Amino acid sequence: MPFPSLAELDAGDVPADGFPTVEELHVDLMELCRAHPDRITASVIGHSRLGEPIDLFTVAGGARTVVVAGGVHPNEPIGFRTIQHLARLLISQPDAYGFDATWHLVACIDPDGTRLNEQWFPAPLRRDDYYRGFYRPAPDEQVEWSFPFSHRGFGFDAPIPETSALMELFDRVAPDVFVGLHNGEFGGVYFYTNERDGALAGELSTIPAQFGLPLDVGEPEMPDLDVLADAVFRAPLTREQIDRRIARGLDDGPQAGGAGTADYLERFGTTTMIAELPYWVHPDAADLTDAGVSYREVIAAKAAALDELHELMGGILHAVRGALTIDSPFRRASAAFAVGMGAVAAAERARIASAETDRPATVAEVFGNTEAVRTFRLRFAGILRRALDAEVHAGTAAPVVRTALAELTARWEEWLAADPHAGLAPVRLNALVGVQLAALFATVRHRVVRSVA
């Protein structure tokens, strides 16, 4: 099957910019069910921590099963548009796109977290709006990272209700393919899959260019990933990450939280795939030329900057300890990410002395590491701002909280003003949806071919 073309996506209901809210997504897909009751049905697989129903939309087909989940991280709404268009493709062209499979679409697995990001969903998408309204849960409150596991003395057994709902769905349908609709933020496109097949990895690597988007060949999200093709990595399992951290002398295991979907789905032999897509692109993400600086220097600068962020956030949280009265998700996330920044900095410092860092850095690596620092500052210090601001707006803020908010806001605004990419226009959504759909269909096709062979 060919890639979905830009023309096809433009002909569909894919706007150039902007994302649906939780309510808008629900209404749209329920209307689709009412219009095509013989093709798509709705059910509820569970409820969120705050009692929000978690919708499942099923397009019946053959014996194979595909599960697709949106909103796995609530600051990643590109998948909402992808699910809207995917449902329409499955209804209107089942022979072309259905692969003789039954499709289970979880439109938004974390409605509570998504609602805390909705202020930046309307078009046009601007970087300052995004960071001002950014929210990401603490790792143990993220659907992707709250699956149970136990390995080498480390473990987690407190899945949140949203994760439990997804686990129960997995147990019921034993998916052949699972795609969690994630997205990155800035730079280029990259992928994860648990399949080692070179043909699938090679195909995934070629998809972004079909839609005019660059690959991200700079710094990966974590060291020691298995590279399957350009910007395509094998999805690491939690036990493998623990083993690698211990091997590097970092005996604290994962930063926090539990295992991911790939870990849980291993029991079913499920093929998993994640396409990480940027809201904004930059050519440096794909530039492999020598940057004129050593990779060791780049990593050292990143570690120092993240240590500084760790100390800043930790110092503020210590100063207001006992004065905070609201157990908000912002407060819990701030505390987790303050510790997390210190853990990331320690992991980077552990790499500095290794022989692998004694080489020139590429432009893509400099870009990726520099932007990681900028992103973490604006994301996580921004969440702490929202935690302190919640106290002020509730009328419960002690003077120490007001002082901390004013000082943090001044520092945060300096970081935001220093963003050299503030005026970048976002990528057209039809291209982003096209990449996710093409990668999804390539993965399903690979699984079908493998099962037939």
Side-chain angles (χ1 to χ4, degrees):
M1 189 193 75
F3 296 129
S5 70
L6 286 174
E8 284 179 303
L9 293 174
D10 277 335
D13 187 22
V14 181
D17 194 2
F19 305 101
T21 65
V22 172
E23 183 63 23
E24 290 167 345
L25 182 63
H26 169 79
V27 168
D28 176 67
L29 292 171
M30 291 301 292
E31 288 178 351
L32 201 61
C33 291
R34 285 190 286 272
H36 304 277
D38 58 327
R39 295 291 301 130
I40 182 169
T41 58
S43 58
V44 173
I45 60 170
H47 291 80
S48 72
R49 286 155 288 177
L50 296 179
E52 183 100 19
I54 298 173
D55 295 323
L56 176 70
F57 298 92
T58 300
V59 181
R64 299 186 185 92
T65 56
V66 180
V67 176
V68 182
V72 183
H73 286 134
N75 61 293
E76 301 178 1
I78 293 171
F80 298 160
R81 292 298 189 199
T82 299
I83 281 184
Q84 286 178 307
H85 197 63
L86 172 61
R88 286 164 168 80
L89 288 176
L90 294 174
I91 290 170
S92 63
Q93 303 180 59
D95 292 339
Y97 296 102
F99 289 98
D100 192 29
T102 293
W103 293 70
H104 300 282
L105 312 180
V106 184
C108 179
I109 188 63
D110 185 1
D112 299 346
T114 298
R115 291 187 186 279
L116 298 179
N117 282 285
E118 287 181 348
Q119 70 186 64
W120 54 266
F121 280 13
L125 176 61
R126 292 186 290 254
R127 284 169 66 81
D128 59 344
D129 292 337
Y130 173 76
Y131 287 119
R132 290 185 191 281
F134 179 91
Y135 167 71
R136 190 178 182 97
D140 62 355
E141 297 182 33
Q142 295 179 17
V143 175
E144 181 62 72
W145 298 119
S146 62
F147 285 81
F149 82 96
S150 178
H151 182 66
R152 296 185 71 171
F154 300 99
F156 182 84
D157 193 23
I160 59 176
E162 296 86 340
T163 304
S164 294
L166 203 54
M167 290 166 58
E168 290 171 9
L169 174 63
F170 291 157
D171 291 345
R172 175 163 60 87
V173 306
D176 295 289
V177 175
F178 171 71
V179 174
L181 295 175
H182 292 251
N183 62 259
E185 187 169 295
F186 184 35
V189 181
Y190 57 101
F191 302 90
Y192 292 104
T193 177
N194 66 342
E195 295 285 350
R196 293 185 178 274
D197 184 89
L200 174 61
E203 183 173 356
L204 292 174
S205 187
T206 66
I207 287 172
Q210 303 289 326
F211 296 88
L213 299 180
L215 292 173
D216 192 324
V217 294
E219 190 70 21
E221 290 187 286
M222 60 191 78
D224 303 323
L225 290 174
D226 295 331
V227 180
L228 305 177
D230 288 345
V232 182
F233 306 98
R234 191 179 71 83
L237 299 174
T238 297
R239 65 175 182 272
E240 296 169 348
Q241 296 180 60
I242 291 172
D243 291 343
R244 287 170 175 173
R245 288 181 65 85
I246 291 174
R248 293 199 303 271
L250 302 166
D251 59 0
D252 55 338
Q255 292 176 34
T261 48
D263 297 88
Y264 192 80
L265 289 168
E266 191 179 25
R267 68 196 65 193
F268 303 117
T270 304
T271 296
T272 64
M273 189 280 296
I274 293 171
E276 297 278 9
L277 308 173
Y279 299 120
W280 302 276
V281 296
H282 197 282
D284 284 0
D287 191 340
L288 293 174
T289 59
D290 188 337
V293 63
S294 79
Y295 184 61
R296 181 169 292 161
E297 290 177 79
V298 173
I299 296 301
K302 179 183 180 181
L306 295 184
D307 262 334
E308 179 186 18
L309 179 59
H310 162 68
E311 291 170 6
L312 172 68
M313 293 180 65
I316 290 172
L317 287 165
H318 179 76
V320 300
R321 185 178 57 184
L324 298 181
T325 63
I326 302 173
D327 183 25
S328 69
F330 305 121
R331 176 180 174 180
R332 298 191 298 272
S334 299
F337 290 125
V339 174
M341 291 299 94
V344 174
E348 295 295 68
R349 280 197 307 274
R351 292 204 294 144
I352 291 172
S354 66
E356 70 177 29
T357 64
D358 187 20
R359 60 171 177 79
T362 66
V363 170
E365 288 170 334
V366 172
F367 172 82
N369 283 289
T370 301
E371 288 308 313
V373 170
R374 191 190 322 279
T375 297
F376 290 160
R377 283 171 171 170
L378 293 173
R379 279 183 171 191
F380 303 140
I383 295 175
L384 179 53
R385 283 181 68 235
R386 295 184 75 177
L388 302 177
D389 191 60
E391 300 277 342
V392 172
H393 278 81
T396 60
V400 67
V401 175
R402 292 181 179 275
T403 299
L405 176 59
E407 293 176 351
L408 177 60
T409 296
R411 186 72 176 278
W412 190 88
E413 292 287 356
E414 288 178 2
W415 288 332
L416 185 64
D419 181 4
H421 314 294
L424 278 180
V427 178
R428 279 183 58 86
L429 265 174
N430 64 344
L432 298 173
V433 169
V435 170
Q436 275 194 335
L437 287 174
L440 166 59
F441 292 139
T443 303
V444 176
R445 182 173 59 241
H446 162 83
R447 179 60 184 251
V448 170
V449 170
R450 193 186 72 180
S451 63
V452 170

